Amino acid sequence: MSPGFQGRRRTTDPALPPGQYLTEDFPVLSAGPTPRVPLDRWEFVLATETGDELRWSWAELMALPQETPTVDIHCVTRWSKFGTSWQGVSLDVLLDGVDTAADYAQAHSYGGYTTNLPLDDLRDGQAWVVHGYDGEPLPAEHGGPARLLVPHLYFWKSAKWVRGLRLTVEDEPGFWETAGYHDYGDPWREQRYQGD
Amino acid sequence: MTEMSYLDGNMLDGPLRELLAVDLSAATGRCASCGMVGPMAGLRVYAHAPGLVGRCPACAEVMLRLVRAPDRAWLDLRGATYLQVPMPTAPSFPRPL
């Protein structure tokens, strides 16, 4: 144990993953134009590896049990934000009763964005489809009408403007994962790029 | 039947070095999605993101992704069928085989 290193480490917040800095505002990141999706045409589609589909309209999503997770979020561009408050539906509710042998999911969004995750990372209270932020409807620039929220992974996994999930037997890397970013993206292990 | 022989990929080093050393702002690209041909300088670039995303000004599909890590970079051009790059005039092309 080196007292010098210990002393330096204590100056950083233990809730902050390595290489991250804390921000109070909420930066807007986007890889393309912001899609505008009217609520009467919005839908969320859950497709299994056999081609079975489950669909929810906006009204049907709102009728499901709602949760209000308050979580820390960590962006791969090095900002973190503590205590963000959301409203939405747990993926446990959406996946309940779904018959699947898939180990992976690929989220896809209005506008064409995709990102991949192990299906286990969407279960057990770890992930939501959220439509509210800080007590207000989720603004389009932050992914509204609805986005994925998977706060234990870097925030590029929390797909904005989410339209559905495709459950897959094989892992299918998404928009950033095919362009150098890490397949899993654990901020605590600083998995930013391929091979990290 | 004669099998055509192939060369080791190392032989690409010279030709690619000549190509990639040029000023790419003068290059022309073809969108793999809609087929539009235009200057790469005309792409719409979304830079407030984990990487640079260059989109076709006609159809908004992604033509280019450029990700920079501290020690590496990735260039994804699958959305561009080709890049046409102006080169110094060399009458000896195409070379006789």
Side-chain angles (χ1 to χ4, degrees):
Chain A
M1 294 281 270
S2 157
F5 281 123
Q6 282 289 314
R8 289 181 69 159
R9 295 291 290 182
R10 273 194 210 107
T11 62
T12 61
D13 192 319
L16 207 53
Q20 297 292 107
Y21 68 87
L22 195 57
T23 185
E24 296 296 326
D25 57 5
F26 195 166
V28 174
L29 273 72
S30 186
T34 298
R36 308 282 169 178
V37 190
L39 295 185
D40 59 356
R41 284 173 39 203
W42 184 92
E43 65 173 358
F44 185 84
V45 184
L46 182 58
T48 72
E49 74 280 12
T50 60
D52 289 343
E53 288 186 348
L54 286 166
R55 290 170 184 269
W56 290 268
S57 68
W58 186 258
E60 288 166 340
L61 185 83
M62 294 299 139
L64 294 173
Q66 304 288 315
E67 295 185 7
T68 53
T70 296
V71 295
D72 301 341
I73 56 177
H74 312 290
C75 179
V76 74
T77 62
R78 297 188 181 275
W79 59 264
S80 291
K81 186 172 174 62
F82 290 165
T84 58
S85 299
W86 307 82
Q87 183 182 1
V89 176
S90 169
L91 258 292
D92 291 317
V93 172
L94 299 173
L95 290 167
D96 186 39
V98 173
D99 183 24
T100 180
D103 288 325
Y104 301 94
Q106 193 182 67
H108 55 97
S109 297
Y110 292 96
Y113 183 76
T114 56
T115 189
N116 56 304
L117 313 95
L119 187 51
D120 280 350
D121 285 78
L122 297 176
R123 298 188 191 274
D124 302 324
Q126 297 186 92
W128 298 263
V129 171
V130 291
H131 53 80
Y133 177 73
D134 251 354
E136 302 286 336
L138 183 62
E141 67 265 28
H142 286 304
R147 74 180 296 162
L148 207 56
L149 176 66
V150 193
H152 70 285
L153 300 176
Y154 280 126
F155 214 43
W156 90 77
K157 297 286 186 181
S158 295
K160 294 161 83 165
W161 313 299
V162 70
R163 181 179 201 165
L165 287 178
R166 228 163 34 82
L167 307 186
T168 60
V169 174
E170 303 288 332
D171 190 19
E172 295 181 22
F175 185 92
W176 288 120
E177 294 86 357
T178 54
Y181 278 95
H182 197 275
D183 198 58
Y184 184 63
D186 180 352
W188 295 98
R189 288 185 280 170
E190 210 167 355
Q191 293 173 334
R192 297 180 197 276
Y193 303 103
Q194 287 171 19
D196 282 353
Chain B
M1 198 173 97
T2 309
E3 187 79 23
M4 289 293 284
S5 65
Y6 56 83
L7 303 175
D8 187 282
N10 281 313
M11 75 79 63
L12 292 172
D13 183 56
L16 282 179
R17 191 179 294 264
E18 182 191 19
L19 183 71
L20 296 176
V22 300
D23 174 11
L24 280 175
S25 65
T28 299
R30 181 182 189 278
C31 175
S33 178
C34 75
M36 197 211 70
V37 175
M40 294 301 280
L43 296 193
R44 294 180 182 164
V45 179
Y46 292 81
H48 212 74
L52 299 177
V53 179
R55 289 179 179 267
C56 172
C59 75
E61 284 296 320
V62 177
M63 288 179 63
L64 173 149
R65 265 169 276 214
L66 178 57
V67 169
R68 181 71 161 91
D71 57 346
R72 292 171 285 167
W74 291 262
L75 176 62
D76 182 332
L77 283 169
R78 90 186 87 155
T81 318
Y82 63 66
L83 287 184
Q84 175 189 293
V85 177
M87 303 288 271
T89 301
S92 58
F93 286 94
R95 289 189 195 284
L97 295 175

